[in-house]
Amino acid sequence: MKFQIEDVTVYFPYDNIYPEQYSYMLELKRALDAKGHCLLEMPTGTGKTIALLSLITSYVLAKPSNPVKLLYCTRTVHEMEKTLAELRFLHGYQVKELGPSAGILALGLSSRKNLCVNPRVVSAENRDSVDAACRKLTASWVRAVAIENPDIPKCDFFESYEKAASDAVLPPGVYTLQDLRAFGKQKGWCPYFLARRMVQFANVVVYSYQYLLDPKVAGIISKEMQRETVVVFDEAHNIDNVCIEALSVNVRTQTLDGASRNLSRMSQEIERLKATDAGRLRAEYNRLVDGLAQRGDLLSGDTWLANPALPDDILKEAVPGNIRRAEHFLSVLRRFVQYLKGRLQTESVEKEGPVTFVASINSQVGIDQKMLKFCYDRLHSLMLTLEITDTDEFLHIQTICDLATLVGTYTRGFSIIIEPFDERMPHIPDPVLQLCCHDASLAIKPVFERFQSVVITSGTLSPIDVYPRLLNFNPVVSRSFTISLTRDCICPMVLTRGSDQLPVSTKYDLRSDPGVEKNYGKLLLEMASVVPDGIVCFFVSYSYMDGIVNSWHESGILKEIMKHKLVFIETHDVVETTLALDNYRRACDSGRGAVFFSVARGKVAEGIDFDRHYGRLVIMFGIPFQYTLSRILLARLEYLRETFQIKEGDFLTFDALRQAAQCVGRVIRSKADYGMMIFADKRYSRHDKRSKLPSWILSHLRDAHMNLSTDMAVHIAREFLRKMAQPYDKSGAMGKRTLLSQEDLEKMVNGVEEMVF
């Protein structure tokens, strides 16, 4: 269907549209017109992706004079592929309506591990090894030697890509990672380097958050992007954590030992170079005298990671004289590593700010702030001069230089925390030095400044006013949408006590109470006997899940549950968890029914959907607060209180409830779906906790379902399931229109009919 939103004709590839999709497009268009940023919360399963893509691509078609580029950021490769598949469907419709003039170039960009087609390279086990194997075949100096000596291996795909030069282009179309690999194989070109070059010319690029938020990657991939760009962060409820991780560094004893090995190898290489080709070291020295700003002479294929500090904070001046010579620089790094080894030998926890840390480095080993600031760039330059290709071997020294550069660049928003052991296992010494970033707005600030519109969207952004304070920006639009349903297919309940009327909670003083554990077990047992197919349970932590499952096993509750359904458990191991999920789905498909035990901050809570019969009920045991004694968290809370006036309790509750909402939101993935959500903790009945849940959950939470015991919850579940089993009219004939056709939209716009939502 196609319809008008003010001056834009929107091409939407389906015959009907949900009312909330239409409202979402209106708000999005307001933000694009104002060239500002926006926050939009849209319930899961209401077609958020297609609404976004339809509006933005139609907006570009309507205003060809200043074409806008779309950067769509997802969290996982699976989400990237889903987005590109939607876009391909939409693109096909637009071309059918408008002819070839609607043609666009859209592609996904991922790491070499996901794009490489050279079997020798891609067989390496992890991402860093694949990158290094690629460099061994494609670095400019390797290829220069290979011209004279044909026995040296090269990458045929990269060679033919280089040979094609400017002819190596992608024809218009939508390319998933699979398509890029197939195209590369067919043409004999390297898909990874082709995609990286085409990113500058593409109308739509889909890639991971890190490509924009992590300065090391963004400095290479995203620095060419034009200002007329719309950036979309999808599923962005955890965006503040992504920003913080991008600027945080952990150093353990193993890192320092590895760094010492790296330094020995580099000094051997320098000695070898002095004997064979001293001119190369001299040329590097001269280049450093001229300053790092004139580094345009490096080949783009050879650059490997950009500076870990943000672009505006990098100095455009010459490298300090005392680290220009390679051997002097290595001795500075040796002293720094030695200093860090000394700091890790502490018996007690130490916490200090970057300024104190830098002063202590200066007084003890004579390395000043300016030298620290240039460590990363100086290392990068030296690696290129020494022509080192196995970059995966040098990850340790990179980490140390990361730390040095960040400490030398920033004075606020960071803490250095040194812990001699993990609090939860105090008898095992495992010293770690952590540079923790507390200010999420640091990493995302360049994105807000460089691009005209940034859209932050997710199913759980409540309370929506916290995000502008955390990320320090002013949205022109911030809106939370509710879900329009023909029948009440979501049934949230707050369970505060067991059938013996004792309160249930995972509060620290009640958590290991045998009465609470028994009541939780009874709740699951009763539900397993009533609810068909799949039940998903989320616990607050792995340790709590282990404890409660053991206690259920000893008391025989687990055996009783197994009579009704099979039980599967998420573990720390990704392969085991994937296998458990697979078997859980098979048990649901075969009619045996299953229960899946998962952790609120684990792998499953974020990206796995339990739609249709895979999740008819989700139980959230407790409120998933972060480990509140974590020193990193305490330092961040202190910073948020002082800088953004966000109270500790408010932030912890906000963080726990967005996680809980994310977990329970897994069961509803479309409007035809139905599911129940049980919040099993007496604290959910308090208004200050409950009010932080998304509005689309709260609008279905009735007063009668607020303060339930186990037997009342079972009764409600029976009634709800009986109601859901009845046939119903999907289009909503009873005055509740949840699917709008083109005529309905035209009537709405002309104001002929007042519609009931």
Side-chain angles (χ1 to χ4, degrees):
M1 62 191 286
K2 59 183 191 187
F3 53 89
Q4 288 293 123
I5 292 186
E6 292 160 18
D7 54 344
V8 171
T9 307
V10 178
Y11 293 90
F12 189 75
Y14 299 100
D15 294 337
N16 297 81
I17 185 170
Y18 296 142
E20 55 269 40
Q21 281 178 316
Y22 183 69
S23 324
Y24 187 83
M25 288 182 182
L26 287 175
E27 296 297 338
L28 188 54
K29 181 172 183 304
R30 272 180 53 208
L32 294 183
D33 285 341
K35 295 189 167 43
H37 312 311
C38 66
L39 272 168
L40 298 170
E41 180 183 59
M42 173 103 147
T44 48
T46 49
K48 184 170 62 227
T49 311
I50 194 69
L52 261 168
L53 294 171
S54 296
L55 183 90
I56 296 172
T57 50
S58 304
Y59 192 86
V60 176
L61 289 171
K63 306 195 175 180
S65 52
N66 65 340
V68 178
K69 189 187 193 94
L70 170 60
L71 286 184
Y72 195 101
C73 302
T74 64
R75 280 178 323 185
T76 59
V77 174
H78 175 65
E79 282 172 10
M80 186 193 300
E81 295 283 38
K82 255 188 350 194
T83 305
L84 284 161
E86 291 260 28
L87 184 59
R88 171 180 290 152
F89 181 58
L90 168 66
H91 180 238
Y93 175 73
Q94 287 177 341
V95 169
K96 195 176 86 185
E97 287 288 322
L98 287 169
S101 64
I104 57 167
L105 173 59
L107 57 101
L109 180 63
S110 186
S111 61
R112 288 175 174 84
K113 177 113 182 91
N114 296 324
L115 279 174
C116 178
V117 286
N118 186 329
R120 284 226 310 281
V121 173
V122 84
S123 56
E125 67 271 14
N126 61 20
R127 199 176 70 207
D128 296 315
S129 314
V130 172
D131 288 354
C134 173
R135 291 180 67 75
K136 283 174 193 163
L137 301 179
T138 61
S140 54
W141 54 88
V142 175
R143 295 172 57 230
V145 176
I147 291 169
E148 292 152 24
N149 181 356
D151 297 341
I152 288 180
K154 294 185 299 190
C155 173
D156 298 332
F157 291 100
F158 184 75
E159 292 302 322
S160 53
Y161 162 75
E162 284 286 294
K163 207 170 278 155
S166 56
D167 294 338
V169 289
L170 278 170
V174 179
Y175 296 87
T176 60
L177 302 182
Q178 182 71 42
D179 299 334
L180 284 169
R181 287 198 298 269
F183 183 80
K185 276 184 182 160
Q186 175 204 334
K187 291 279 193 184
W189 297 336
C190 168
Y192 172 74
F193 283 99
L194 178 64
R196 251 179 66 174
R197 201 177 94 212
M198 295 313 291
V199 160
Q200 297 167 35
F201 310 110
N203 308 79
V204 183
V205 181
V206 184
Y207 57 23
S208 146
Y209 280 27
Q210 270 68 25
Y211 285 24
L212 265 188
L213 296 177
D214 187 338
K216 297 195 285 296
V217 190
I220 292 175
I221 305 283
S222 306
K223 68 171 188 286
E224 304 293 325
M225 302 294 181
Q226 66 219 45
R227 175 162 172 71
E228 291 74 33
T229 296
V230 179
V231 177
V232 175
F233 289 108
D234 194 11
E235 296 296 333
H237 46 273
N238 280 343
I239 192 163
D240 52 318
N241 296 337
V242 178
C243 293
I244 279 171
E245 280 159 23
L247 293 176
S248 298
V249 183
N250 282 4
V251 173
R252 291 188 140 77
T253 322
Q254 300 89 311
T255 321
L256 294 172
D257 294 342
S260 301
R261 287 197 301 275
N262 293 163
L263 290 171
S264 313
R265 166 135 176 238
M266 283 165 89
S267 69
Q268 287 166 11
E269 292 283 326
I270 289 172
E271 292 307 317
R272 189 178 58 76
L273 256 190
K274 273 186 180 164
T276 57
D277 188 359
R280 217 163 62 214
L281 284 170
R282 206 170 305 113
E284 182 196 37
Y285 180 85
N286 294 335
R287 193 172 70 234
L288 295 175
V289 175
D290 295 339
L292 288 167
Q294 287 80 41
R295 282 185 312 172
D297 53 349
L298 294 181
L299 286 166
S300 61
D302 291 343
T303 51
W304 119 89
L305 278 178
N307 194 306
L310 299 160
D312 299 349
D313 302 320
I314 300 168
L315 285 184
K316 307 283 189 283
E317 57 182 286
V319 173
N322 42 6
I323 57 171
R324 277 185 206 148
R325 298 208 36 183
E327 52 271 43
H328 293 175
F329 175 57
L330 288 192
S331 91
V332 164
L333 285 183
R334 275 206 190 89
R335 297 204 306 273
F336 185 47
V337 168
Q338 212 47 50
Y339 169 80
L340 293 175
K341 279 185 178 163
R343 289 301 300 261
L344 277 182
Q345 283 163 1
T346 173
E347 293 294 312
S348 59
V349 174
E350 295 176 16
K351 170 180 179 261
E352 58 193 54
V355 180
T356 328
F357 188 66
V358 170
S360 138
I361 296 171
N362 202 356
S363 63
Q364 290 190 31
V365 287
I367 303 173
D368 64 12
Q369 183 190 4
K370 197 163 174 201
M371 285 149 77
L372 287 171
K373 193 179 265 198
F374 277 105
C375 272
Y376 201 89
D377 283 329
R378 183 66 191 87
L379 175 78
H380 189 186
S381 167
L382 183 59
M383 302 272 281
L384 291 173
T385 306
L386 297 179
E387 302 189 338
I388 287 172
T389 49
D390 48 353
T391 43
D392 56 333
E393 300 291 326
F394 285 82
L395 293 175
H396 300 298
I397 194 70
Q398 274 166 260
T399 307
I400 301 297
C401 287
D402 248 8
L403 173 74
T405 301
L406 288 168
V407 166
T409 308
Y410 297 106
T411 52
R412 291 200 62 237
F414 286 83
S415 300
I416 287 94
I417 298 176
I418 304 169
E419 295 184 295
F421 49 77
D422 186 334
E423 291 229 319
R424 284 163 274 195
M425 291 177 281
H427 48 283
I428 303 172
D430 177 24
V432 57
L433 180 145
Q434 306 163 70
L435 172 71
C436 323
C437 172
H438 307 312
D439 191 344
S441 65
L442 283 174
I444 202 167
K445 186 177 162 214
V447 180
F448 285 136
E449 286 176 355
R450 273 182 53 200
F451 302 116
Q452 73 179 29
S453 288
V454 176
V455 180
I456 292 177
T457 185
S458 173
T460 39
L461 287 178
S462 293
I464 208 159
D465 56 331
V466 175
Y467 286 88
R469 285 154 73 195
L470 277 180
L471 303 175
N472 198 12
F473 76 111
N474 293 318
V476 291
V477 175
S478 69
R479 193 57 212 280
S480 181
F481 300 93
T482 53
I483 189 167
S484 57
L485 297 168
T486 38
R487 53 177 188 164
D488 290 330
C489 61
I490 305 173
C491 179
M493 303 181 242
V494 174
L495 181 121
T496 55
R497 52 198 196 279
S499 40
D500 55 4
Q501 303 306 315
L502 285 176
V504 294
S505 177
T506 56
K507 269 175 82 166
Y508 208 71
D509 47 353
L510 283 176
R511 165 175 299 201
S512 46
D513 181 324
V516 172
E517 291 183 346
K518 191 182 89 190
N519 273 328
Y520 274 156
K522 282 274 164 56
L523 165 69
L524 181 56
L525 176 58
E526 295 280 333
M527 286 297 171
S529 62
V530 173
V531 178
D533 301 318
I535 297 180
V536 190
C537 303
F538 287 101
F539 296 87
V540 288
S541 66
Y542 281 107
S543 55
Y544 183 61
M545 179 167 78
D546 288 348
I548 205 164
V549 169
N550 275 336
S551 118
W552 287 350
H553 176 64
E554 282 160 17
S555 62
I557 292 179
L558 205 58
K559 205 172 189 178
E560 289 294 311
I561 294 170
M562 299 275 270
K563 284 181 184 168
H564 298 288
K565 295 184 189 301
L566 301 179
V567 174
F568 298 94
I569 301 185
E570 174 186 4
T571 62
H572 285 287
D573 187 301
V574 178
V575 179
E576 279 182 5
T577 303
T578 312
L579 192 65
L581 267 171
D582 204 41
N583 285 328
Y584 167 81
R585 291 211 160 99
R586 281 175 49 200
C588 292
D589 288 338
S590 66
R592 175 70 173 87
V595 182
F596 194 82
F597 289 168
S598 177
V599 173
R601 291 179 187 274
K603 293 272 178 291
V604 173
E606 278 300 323
I608 310 290
D609 295 343
F610 293 99
D611 52 340
R612 307 191 316 281
H613 61 292
Y614 299 128
R616 287 299 180 212
L617 163 69
V618 61
I619 305 178
M620 180 76 240
F621 290 112
I623 299 184
F625 284 109
Q626 285 190 50
Y627 177 57
T628 41
L629 297 177
S630 148
R631 295 211 163 67
I632 300 176
L633 179 64
L634 291 172
R636 184 178 177 197
L637 290 173
E638 190 183 320
Y639 181 82
L640 288 175
R641 189 183 65 236
E642 288 169 5
T643 317
F644 299 127
Q645 287 75 51
I646 297 174
K647 293 190 196 124
E648 286 102 326
D650 287 354
F651 178 77
L652 286 171
T653 306
F654 150 74
D655 183 62
L657 285 164
R658 69 174 163 182
Q659 208 57 49
Q662 197 50 31
C663 295
V664 297
R666 303 278 109 211
V667 292
I668 297 288
R669 302 318 279 174
S670 83
K671 290 194 178 184
D673 206 352
Y674 62 90
M676 293 177 289
M677 309 164 177
I678 296 181
F679 296 96
D681 191 310
K682 65 174 187 181
R683 290 171 292 176
Y684 283 111
S685 63
R686 283 172 45 185
H687 182 261
D688 64 321
K689 298 278 188 287
R690 199 180 59 238
S691 62
K692 292 188 168 62
L693 286 169
S695 54
W696 60 274
I697 294 179
L698 285 180
S699 60
H700 290 89
L701 181 58
R702 298 191 195 145
D703 289 346
H705 295 178
M706 292 277 194
N707 186 3
L708 302 176
S709 61
T710 305
D711 35 4
M712 289 154 73
V714 171
H715 174 71
I716 291 168
R718 280 205 173 101
E719 291 296 308
F720 174 75
L721 289 165
R722 190 174 300 137
K723 199 165 93 189
M724 286 299 109
Q726 308 309 315
Y728 76 108
D729 174 17
K730 287 191 176 63
S731 65
M734 308 169 304
K736 269 187 170 182
R737 302 302 294 269
T738 61
L739 280 176
L740 304 177
S741 65
Q742 199 160 329
E743 291 82 54
D744 294 334
L745 274 180
E746 282 160 11
K747 282 179 192 165
M748 257 174 70
V749 175
N750 300 331
V752 174
E753 178 185 318
E754 190 56 51
M755 303 211 62
V756 188
F757 289 124

